[in-house]
Amino acid sequence: MSEEINQYIKSEYAAGFITDIESETLPPGLNEDVIRFISAKKGEPEWLLEWRLKAFEIFMEMEEPTWAHVHYPKINFQDISYYSSPKSMADKPQSLDEVDPELLRTYEKLGIPLHEQEVLAGVANVAMDVVFDSVSVATTFREKLSEAGVIFMPISEAVHKHPELVKKYLGSVVPQRDNYYAALNCAVFSDGSFVYIPKGVRCPMELSTYFRINEQNTGQFERTLIIADEGSHVSYLEGCTAPMRDENQLHAAVVELVALDNAEIKYSTVQNWYPGDENGKGGIYNFVTKRAVAHTNAKVSWTQVETGSAVTWKYPSCILKGDNSIGEFYSVALTNNFQQADTGTKMIHLGKNTKSTIISKGISAGKSQNAYRGLVRMNPSAEGARNFTQCDSLLIGDKCGAHTFPYIESKHPSAVIEHEATTSTVSDDQMFLCQQRGIDPEKAVSMIVNGFCKEVFKELPMEFAVEAGKLLEVSLEGSVG
Amino acid sequence: MTQAVSDFHQQALSQWVGKSDKFQRLNADGSKAFEALPFPTRKTEAWKYTSLYALTQQDYNQAVATFDGAEVAANYQVDSLDVQQWVFVNGQFQANLSTQKNESGLHMVRFSDASAEQLALIEKHLGQVAENERNLFTALNNAQVQDGVFIYVEKNTQLTQPIHIVNVTTQQGQAASAFNRCLVVLDQLAQATVIEQFVSSDAEQDVLLNQVTEAVVGNGAQLQHYRLHKEHESSLHFGGVYVDLGRDSQFNSYQVLLGGKVKRLDVLVNHNEGGSHCEMKGVYLPKNDQHVDIHSYIEHKAAHCTTDEIYRGIMADQSKAVFNGRIHIHPDAQKTLAELSNKNLLLSDKAQINTKPELEIYADDVRCAHGATVAQLDETAKFYLQSRGISAQEADIMLSFGFINELLDSIPLEPLRVALRPLLAQQFSSDRALTQHILHDEAGA
Amino acid sequence: MLSIKNLHAKVEEKDILKGLNIEIKPGEIHAIMGPNGAGKSTLGNVLSGREGYEVTDGEVIFDGKNILDMDTEERAREGLFLAFQYPVEIPGVSNLEFLKASVDAVRAHRGQDPLDSVSFLKLAREKCKAVNLDQNFLKRGVNEGFSGGEKKRNEIMQMMLLEPKLCILDETDSGLDIDALQVVAEGVNSQRDPNRSFIVVTHYQRLLDYIVPDYVHVLAGGKIVKSGGKELALELEEKGYGWIENGAA
């Protein structure tokens, strides 16, 4: 039976095309000169260069972590190019009209709206920043946003226009020494989005960044920094794709969120990096550090739908620093073929009456390995803290694996922690019932999988929820013979 | 490796590794593994929450038996129960304190007294389940093993009385280490109950006890196993229980872990063939500065096997507990049903619990669930009891006891259940007035 | 409507059906009774094309078509409905979503357009009412947390929605008390139609007081060993299966 189910879940990767465009790409290699080059390219101030060099020094001292439940050949960091930019971007186009049409067509093909009028005509109310390899290509709706006082721009630009904010918060949540890949990111990060929501402002539209890796042999090391000032509110979406290439490519991003008192940040990701082919060849290594600090009464909510990447190593986390702050993590991780995912979250409770909720749904198909790894820590100061964790795994086929590694550390007696986990399978009985009622096996699997993920999908912004549902269906769609 | 740590390895091997020619191969493999295993630090996953640094700060002599051991052993007789009671003091067998009655189909001998036939069986099984790589201390135990207890139950034999092994530790006057080993082999359709008890004298302890029990449960055989610790606050215990389950066999394990400055217990159960069932229930009740660390590993390697694992912990004062429960479903273990539940109560601001219930699943047609909770006593329940005139102190005790009562009640050996109840009640208060109601329960029954 | 000739089938290398013959005309109700292990449930699974049930000989003609080469869902769309003895739970998939998918598939096969959501909901509610199921059941997961009786009523409700040509009720009475049994039987009786046939598989005669069959067959050792009118069921009830089995031997 499992064999039969398996044949319904062969996936096709729709975003796998390559954009034929001239790029300025650094030769592979990692050393101080590369870092100086990137910094100079962005015209960075001296302090930032120093900060990068310090990070590089730390990176060189650190060892590659091995604790995750993933296996891949050792990465040679000298084989990777750390900077690639479409040549046409060198002139710094001032508006969308000046951007190379070939680049714009890439986003058109991916279904990403860049022209503001298109967006306004459609249903989506989204402002976009699009990052192509190492540079930001365009940021839409900047004027409309700035009317509300919202800053939304590439981080390379924010370094110049809002140095005080960048200097204050960059590395404040994920410091250089945090972990191996974060240290690397601190040293070589190229671009990413910067968001600042002023006090008391409710961001008038969804903000979104779309990351695209195009060039061969390059890594993408973006850095996102979102600051929600007191009493503000923002919802941010992130999407990612890459062409189908035979070699593995590295993506080591850092995302830092700061939710000041009474602020709320909702961060949603639909991660669809190229997962490699059916035989496990190629695909993105997605080693990402995402972390948020929530101050008093603040709320941070991470929602992720992870269907791509050959290897994923990702734990969006919340440091619940302020009293009554809230952290949430909703995740669907689907692995197929030879994909490996080790993902989950960390909820660090420091403040009193802090609350966290973790809902994780892992779906493994093909020969993939899917692990949930989560940490809930109640520090001695976390009086009255609460956590609820539910992590469920669904197995499709008999050659995949599902794993759960929850770490629960409690140092305060009044903290209440509940953890539940189940593992189940799409059973023969369920398939037979559906088929006996006339439903295609393919449709049946998709119905069961979507039902399994329901609790997470309802957390996504409307447009994204639809996209996520479709994405899963694509991953589960196949050649019904 | 720091100097201190390297010294620890050096000293451990030179002092403890046996010199006799029995089990040469096992000894050699064990010492090789021990040397190769890095000394655990906080970064060693299996020792993340238990520091061994203090161990490296002194030298260890070989422990010897002392006279007060007899007195301690006498205190832990379970009346009306024992047909076989063997006593070890600081790892040394005490013939004068032990009883041996013959039961047909049962062989119970020390390795050193084994007949050629028995020795062949010992050599066949010893060290086969207790893998060196699992745990540093198990490797060390394998490296030194010369003597121990061998229990063999013949085919189709159902023992009528339990076997009781008491391990006593006493004060030595200087840091010392003691080892013990137990090998249980149940042949096809045999049934046995083995109670292992770990107790100590009231004096400050300086003995580090390293005890490993291996059990090979044959096809259709059933082993009921108890591991009861009531050790002094200052005792150091590194223990391991390693079990191989045959087809349709059954392993029921009950663990009560009290006392100990550092207590670490590793339990490994291998479902090697189809249809076996493992039931594991444990309670740990550390208080004051005690530290208890339980690592359980359930390996489902065959189809149609079931595991039901429940651990409950109550942490008082500044105590710390670590629970790491791993259920590993191998690719061929279809139709596995496995459940793991770990619930914890923290009674004080300074108590800590680190729990990690892990599931690792490589088969698709399985049903597995695990759950863990950490909480404090339910204030509403407490208020309810108080509103009925029960003192706050007694309410706390009743509720705490209620938290583990279910597990206690599930112990099938009645005399043991009766004996354990006051022992556990004592953990919460030595004031008889406060524990009378929870004790009354069983007396009335 | 249905013609089964010399049907042999095995499950996990074990022969279960060993030359079964049955002829069912439109509008007829056939009861199949027999001791445990006779192959009663196997028959329903074989007719529905369940994987693992291998037909080794014989033929099954349903409404003029040989269905043995069809997939389970094709047979379902042709109008073959199996009411399960133990309906499985599908957590997360709502009953409504499931029913709509099923009805859409069957309608598409008949060349009908899918019902719009509003009409479908109206229809589903109506059917719920007919089997005395609370409408909230439509929102819950398929059979999730349903009681035994609710699951069986859910099966009958689906039968009403799908309007099949042939209904196989596999021990639909098992685990039901007399009140629940009556509700289920009423549901079935309301679906009696000159163009619809039923196979009622049961161990007990009791169900046949409520769903009165035209013919009763006794299945033992993988084949029909005795056939008769409804009075045969009463005789079986009285004398037990041993009587037939011994007679057959």
Side-chain angles (χ1 to χ4, degrees):
Chain A
M1 188 64 196
S2 310
E3 282 302 317
E4 189 182 319
I5 296 174
N6 259 331
Q7 75 183 40
Y8 299 119
I9 50 167
K10 283 181 189 152
S11 69
E12 280 168 33
Y13 188 69
F17 61 90
I18 295 168
T19 305
D20 188 10
I21 199 164
E22 251 195 290
S23 285
E24 181 187 15
T25 305
L26 260 188
L30 179 60
N31 53 50
E32 272 195 29
D33 292 341
V34 166
I35 293 161
R36 286 179 198 282
F37 173 87
I38 296 169
S39 187
K41 202 76 194 162
K42 308 270 176 194
E44 284 175 356
E46 188 60 25
W47 69 264
L48 190 50
L49 175 62
E50 288 304 317
W51 191 79
R52 285 176 180 275
L53 290 172
K54 176 78 192 155
F56 183 61
E57 200 179 296
I58 291 167
F59 172 74
M60 295 306 284
E61 287 165 13
M62 291 175 106
E63 277 174 39
E64 199 170 341
T66 53
W67 43 262
H69 198 277
V70 291
H71 303 280
Y72 54 91
K74 207 165 165 57
I75 298 171
N76 186 345
F77 291 95
Q78 299 304 334
D79 286 351
I80 299 171
S81 163
Y82 290 84
Y83 187 85
S84 176
S85 157
K87 269 212 172 120
S88 58
M89 293 305 292
D91 315 329
K92 298 209 167 58
Q94 290 308 299
S95 79
L96 219 47
D97 302 335
E98 295 173 23
V99 173
D100 184 345
E102 187 61 32
L103 264 177
L104 295 183
R105 260 195 298 281
T106 302
Y107 292 95
E108 217 170 275
K109 264 164 116 175
L110 293 166
I112 308 299
L114 287 187
H115 287 99
E116 298 187 3
Q117 54 273 36
E118 283 171 22
V119 177
L120 291 174
V123 278
N125 183 25
V126 184
M128 299 285 311
D129 182 17
V130 290
V131 176
F132 191 89
D133 289 333
S134 305
V135 291
S136 171
V137 172
T139 311
T140 63
F141 290 101
R142 288 167 75 155
E143 274 164 43
K144 183 176 174 187
L145 289 169
S146 70
E147 277 169 33
V150 172
I151 304 169
F152 180 39
M153 58 175 61
I155 199 161
S156 54
E157 194 179 327
V159 168
H160 298 288
K161 294 196 174 151
H162 304 281
E164 69 301 336
L165 283 172
V166 176
K167 200 168 176 179
K168 181 169 177 190
Y169 290 107
L170 186 75
S172 71
V173 188
V174 180
Q176 293 137 307
R177 198 175 283 284
D178 192 80
N179 68 69
Y180 191 68
Y181 298 107
L184 178 63
N185 176 287
C186 290
V188 301
F189 78 89
S190 43
D191 222 331
S193 300
F194 175 82
V195 176
Y196 173 77
I197 316 289
K199 271 184 199 172
V201 170
R202 204 179 166 87
C203 187
M205 53 200 316
E206 303 270 351
L207 303 182
S208 177
T209 304
Y210 194 90
F211 295 101
R212 174 85 179 164
I213 299 179
N214 188 62
E215 194 58 33
Q216 213 164 349
N217 295 324
T218 53
Q220 193 175 51
F221 305 93
E222 87 268 2
R223 187 133 192 144
T224 298
L225 175 58
I226 299 177
I227 303 145
D229 212 330
E230 291 173 20
S232 68
H233 178 285
V234 63
S235 170
Y236 179 93
L237 322 170
E238 174 198 57
C240 3
T241 56
M244 294 194 247
R245 293 192 186 277
D246 283 350
E247 81 272 16
N248 298 105
Q249 284 177 283
L250 178 64
H251 173 253
V254 170
V255 174
E256 296 178 281
L257 309 185
V258 180
L260 296 172
D261 294 359
N262 304 303
E264 184 175 339
I265 302 178
K266 191 172 171 63
Y267 193 106
S268 314
T269 306
V270 172
Q271 187 264 106
N272 188 25
W273 292 119
Y274 178 51
D277 69 8
E278 288 172 62
N279 303 313
K281 194 162 193 200
I284 301 290
Y285 291 158
N286 191 33
F287 301 146
V288 172
T289 306
K290 292 183 169 180
R291 193 173 306 147
V293 171
H295 291 258
T296 307
N297 301 323
K299 178 176 172 184
V300 174
S301 178
W302 297 101
T303 305
Q304 60 172 25
V305 176
E306 303 272 320
T307 59
S309 299
V311 180
T312 297
W313 181 99
K314 180 181 171 189
Y315 316 92
S317 308
C318 296
I319 298 171
L320 302 172
K321 190 174 174 189
D323 294 351
N324 312 312
S325 57
I326 297 173
E328 295 175 339
F329 175 75
Y330 300 95
S331 169
V332 167
L334 178 133
T335 54
N336 198 354
N337 297 322
F338 284 87
Q339 281 176 273
Q340 306 175 63
D342 192 299
T343 183
T345 184
K346 291 190 226 174
M347 294 290 174
I348 312 292
H349 291 253
L350 303 175
K352 286 182 188 143
N353 301 315
T354 45
K355 284 198 189 69
S356 63
T357 304
I358 300 171
I359 309 284
S360 164
K361 306 278 179 176
I363 304 157
S364 336
K367 294 185 172 121
S368 67
Q369 299 294 333
N370 199 330
Y372 167 82
R373 185 183 304 276
L375 167 68
V376 175
R377 177 185 290 154
M378 303 297 188
N379 270 47
S381 51
E383 191 182 323
R386 297 274 180 282
N387 162 267
F388 174 76
T389 301
Q390 186 188 331
C391 54
D392 299 323
S393 308
L394 186 68
L395 291 152
I396 305 176
D398 56 1
K399 294 189 176 61
C400 51
H403 319 290
T404 323
F405 306 102
Y407 296 66
I408 301 165
E409 305 177 5
S410 184
K411 295 177 182 166
H412 198 285
S414 68
V416 175
I417 305 171
E418 285 176 79
H419 171 96
E420 289 171 15
T422 63
T423 299
S424 53
T425 163
V426 175
S427 76
D428 302 0
D429 289 347
Q430 292 175 336
M431 290 297 288
F432 182 56
L433 175 66
C434 290
Q435 284 176 265
Q436 212 299 308
R437 298 297 183 257
I439 301 168
D440 282 325
E442 187 181 294
K443 169 86 181 158
V445 171
S446 138
M447 271 171 62
I448 292 167
V449 168
N450 269 292
F452 178 74
C453 302
K454 211 177 267 173
E455 285 156 287
V456 174
F457 284 171
K458 77 176 186 343
E459 293 299 324
L460 286 168
M462 182 76 93
E463 311 84 48
F464 247 35
V466 176
E467 194 189 322
K470 276 197 220 142
L471 194 58
L472 276 196
E473 234 158 82
V474 167
S475 300
L476 294 167
E477 216 169 62
S479 45
V480 182
Chain B
M1 210 187 285
T2 66
Q3 190 53 44
V5 169
S6 142
D7 286 351
F8 177 80
H9 274 78
Q10 287 283 322
Q11 204 231 339
L13 288 173
S14 62
Q15 286 279 325
W16 295 329
V17 169
K19 279 120 195 156
S20 127
D21 53 359
K22 227 184 283 167
F23 317 124
Q24 256 178 356
R25 181 67 184 277
L26 182 61
N27 291 163
D29 288 351
S31 67
K32 206 154 82 189
F34 180 75
E35 267 182 297
L37 280 168
F39 193 77
T41 66
R42 265 196 76 92
K43 284 192 174 161
T44 313
E45 187 64 27
W47 294 91
K48 195 172 160 75
Y49 301 110
T50 298
S51 168
L52 295 177
Y53 180 72
L55 296 190
T56 64
Q57 297 307 295
Q58 50 198 351
D59 291 341
Y60 297 86
N61 292 309
Q62 270 193 4
V64 292
T66 57
F67 291 115
D68 52 343
E71 200 184 320
V72 180
N75 283 339
Y76 289 94
Q77 298 266 9
V78 181
D79 296 335
S80 78
L81 192 64
D82 305 317
V83 62
Q84 311 273 5
Q85 177 172 286
W86 282 24
V87 177
F88 291 81
V89 174
N90 298 327
Q92 312 293 315
F93 180 62
Q94 305 298 301
N96 57 330
L97 302 176
S98 303
T99 54
Q100 170 112 23
K101 294 180 190 160
N102 293 324
E103 194 169 346
S104 121
L106 168 68
H107 303 247
M108 182 164 170
V109 292
R110 294 172 60 205
F111 298 169
S112 48
D113 294 338
S115 66
E117 220 172 309
Q118 289 165 336
L119 196 61
L121 273 173
I122 296 172
E123 278 172 343
K124 181 176 168 197
H125 294 291
L126 194 69
Q128 292 303 303
V129 203
E131 299 162 23
N132 285 318
E133 286 69 29
R134 283 276 167 190
N135 181 314
L136 186 79
F137 292 92
T138 299
L140 189 54
N141 198 300
N142 281 338
Q144 64 73 45
V145 64
Q146 293 304 318
D147 208 351
V149 188
F150 177 53
I151 298 166
Y152 173 65
V153 185
E154 288 175 13
K155 203 165 156 179
N156 298 327
T157 305
Q158 296 168 15
L159 295 188
T160 53
Q161 289 285 333
I163 291 160
H164 190 188
I165 300 170
V166 185
N167 282 281
V168 182
T169 54
T170 61
Q171 196 177 49
Q172 296 283 293
Q174 56 187 329
S177 59
F179 289 86
N180 205 355
R181 185 84 176 209
C182 178
L183 173 64
V184 182
V185 178
L186 303 194
D187 211 330
Q188 197 172 309
L189 295 168
Q191 284 181 25
T193 297
V194 176
I195 305 163
E196 293 188 278
Q197 199 161 22
F198 298 86
V199 294
S200 50
S201 65
D202 286 338
E204 186 78 13
Q205 299 288 300
D206 39 24
V207 175
L208 180 159
L209 181 65
N210 177 332
Q211 196 279 347
V212 169
T213 293
E214 280 179 285
V216 179
V217 186
N219 294 347
Q222 297 186 5
L223 176 62
Q224 210 178 90
H225 177 248
Y226 294 85
R227 194 165 175 111
L228 313 173
H229 293 248
K230 171 82 171 73
E231 291 159 308
H232 192 263
E233 297 242 313
S234 56
S235 72
L236 299 172
H237 183 117
F238 296 88
V241 175
Y242 296 87
V243 184
D244 262 356
L245 294 181
R247 178 168 300 277
D248 300 321
S249 64
Q250 196 172 326
F251 176 63
N252 293 58
S253 170
Y254 304 89
Q255 299 152 24
V256 176
L257 307 175
L258 308 176
K261 183 173 161 195
V262 177
K263 189 193 308 297
R264 163 71 176 238
L265 180 64
D266 284 27
V267 184
L268 165 72
V269 178
N270 290 313
H271 288 280
N272 288 331
E273 291 180 73
S276 52
H277 175 65
C278 165
E279 196 171 292
M280 202 182 297
K281 292 180 175 170
V283 295
Y284 43 96
L285 308 171
K287 55 182 189 178
N288 300 327
D289 289 314
Q290 297 167 10
H291 181 110
V292 57
D293 180 345
I294 299 157
H295 271 59
S296 84
Y297 307 91
I298 312 286
E299 303 287 339
H300 278 267
K301 300 177 182 173
H304 294 285
C305 298
T306 54
T307 294
D308 187 6
E309 183 178 354
I310 304 175
Y311 277 88
R312 297 271 168 103
I314 304 177
M315 280 56 67
D317 310 316
Q318 303 83 253
S319 67
K320 285 182 194 161
V322 181
F323 175 80
N324 191 114
R326 177 167 182 257
I327 294 182
H328 182 180
I329 316 286
H330 294 249
D332 291 332
Q334 298 294 1
K335 309 279 178 196
T336 293
L337 294 180
E339 278 190 40
L340 163 64
S341 156
N342 173 233
K343 293 190 178 180
N344 298 282
L345 269 187
L346 285 177
L347 295 183
S348 106
D349 281 2
K350 300 214 171 59
Q352 281 187 27
I353 170 72
N354 297 303
T355 169
K356 185 164 147 236
E358 298 176 51
L359 280 176
E360 205 169 326
I361 300 173
Y362 296 90
D364 72 327
D365 195 1
V366 298
R367 218 169 62 228
C368 298
H370 69 203
T373 61
V374 180
Q376 62 179 346
L377 290 174
D378 182 353
E379 285 299 322
T380 334
K382 187 174 171 184
F383 176 71
Y384 185 80
L385 292 182
Q386 285 177 275
S387 77
R388 296 295 179 264
I390 298 166
S391 75
Q393 244 182 322
E394 189 177 356
D396 281 350
I397 292 170
M398 288 176 83
L399 290 172
S400 299
F401 203 77
F403 190 71
I404 54 168
N405 208 0
E406 193 190 321
L407 289 188
L408 188 58
D409 278 348
S410 70
I411 290 178
L413 259 185
E414 203 207 330
L416 209 56
R417 206 165 58 228
V418 173
L420 275 173
R421 199 172 268 273
L423 207 67
L424 288 168
Q426 231 179 35
Q427 281 292 299
F428 299 112
S429 173
S430 49
D431 185 351
R432 179 88 172 102
L434 287 171
T435 56
Q436 58 176 329
H437 295 106
I438 51 180
L439 291 175
H440 179 257
D441 213 27
E442 179 93 22
Chain C
M1 173 69 68
L2 182 73
S3 164
I4 304 176
K5 287 193 180 126
N6 190 32
L7 185 64
H8 286 72
K10 62 181 180 183
V11 183
E12 287 177 358
E13 297 305 305
K14 201 174 156 200
D15 294 319
I16 307 285
L17 298 182
K18 302 167 185 167
L20 185 134
N21 295 289
I22 262 185
E23 288 289 334
I24 298 175
K25 296 195 182 66
E28 289 179 351
I29 296 188
H30 289 241
I32 295 183
M33 302 184 68
N36 287 327
K40 298 196 301 290
S41 286
T42 301
L43 178 62
N45 284 322
V46 167
L47 291 179
S48 297
R50 180 166 203 165
E51 189 165 331
Y53 290 77
E54 193 190 338
V55 173
T56 50
D57 199 6
E59 66 170 19
V60 178
I61 305 296
F62 173 56
D63 206 20
K65 293 174 189 159
N66 178 2
I67 58 167
L68 289 181
D69 292 333
M70 293 182 187
D71 286 339
T72 298
E73 62 271 25
E74 281 178 73
R75 301 183 198 198
R77 292 169 193 172
E78 287 289 335
L80 190 147
F81 182 91
L82 174 66
F84 289 80
Q85 182 180 4
Y86 303 111
V88 67
E89 299 190 8
I90 312 181
V93 176
S94 85
N95 223 0
L96 195 66
E97 177 186 353
F98 166 73
L99 293 173
K100 179 108 174 32
S102 169
V103 170
D104 285 353
V106 171
R107 286 179 67 94
H109 188 74
R110 294 180 191 149
Q112 296 167 315
D113 287 334
L115 288 175
D116 65 83
S117 303
V118 179
S119 330
F120 179 76
L121 189 60
K122 204 171 145 232
L123 186 69
R125 285 183 173 157
E126 206 176 279
K127 303 300 181 198
C128 271
K129 217 166 159 191
V131 292
N132 205 9
L133 260 186
D134 193 291
Q135 291 182 10
N136 284 331
F137 281 95
L138 291 172
K139 289 185 204 148
R140 286 173 42 187
V142 177
N143 293 318
E144 195 181 358
F146 287 25
S147 71
E150 286 161 353
K151 283 181 183 167
K152 296 295 171 70
R153 276 184 276 159
N154 196 15
E155 292 291 288
I156 301 304
M157 195 257 284
Q158 292 174 29
M159 184 177 95
M160 292 173 163
L161 269 176
L162 294 173
E163 300 175 334
K165 294 177 196 148
L166 174 70
C167 309
I168 304 162
L169 309 182
D170 187 9
E171 306 220 13
T172 298
D173 52 334
S174 66
L176 293 187
D177 63 24
I178 197 75
D179 293 338
L181 186 71
Q182 280 178 11
V183 174
V184 167
E186 272 166 36
V188 171
N189 288 328
S190 74
Q191 297 300 297
R192 289 197 71 160
D193 184 291
N195 295 315
R196 183 172 294 140
S197 312
F198 291 84
I199 297 175
V200 181
V201 176
T202 182
H203 188 71
Y204 307 103
Q205 182 274 336
R206 189 182 64 165
L207 176 69
L208 305 180
D209 287 343
Y210 299 94
I211 303 174
V212 182
D214 299 303
Y215 300 96
V216 174
H217 309 278
V218 180
L219 178 60
K223 48 177 123 175
I224 303 294
V225 294
K226 195 169 176 66
S227 296
K230 63 184 177 209
E231 58 298 335
L232 177 58
L234 292 168
E235 213 173 334
L236 281 170
E237 180 78 0
E238 205 180 298
K239 299 184 179 169
Y241 290 111
W243 161 64
I244 299 284
E245 284 176 293
N246 295 339

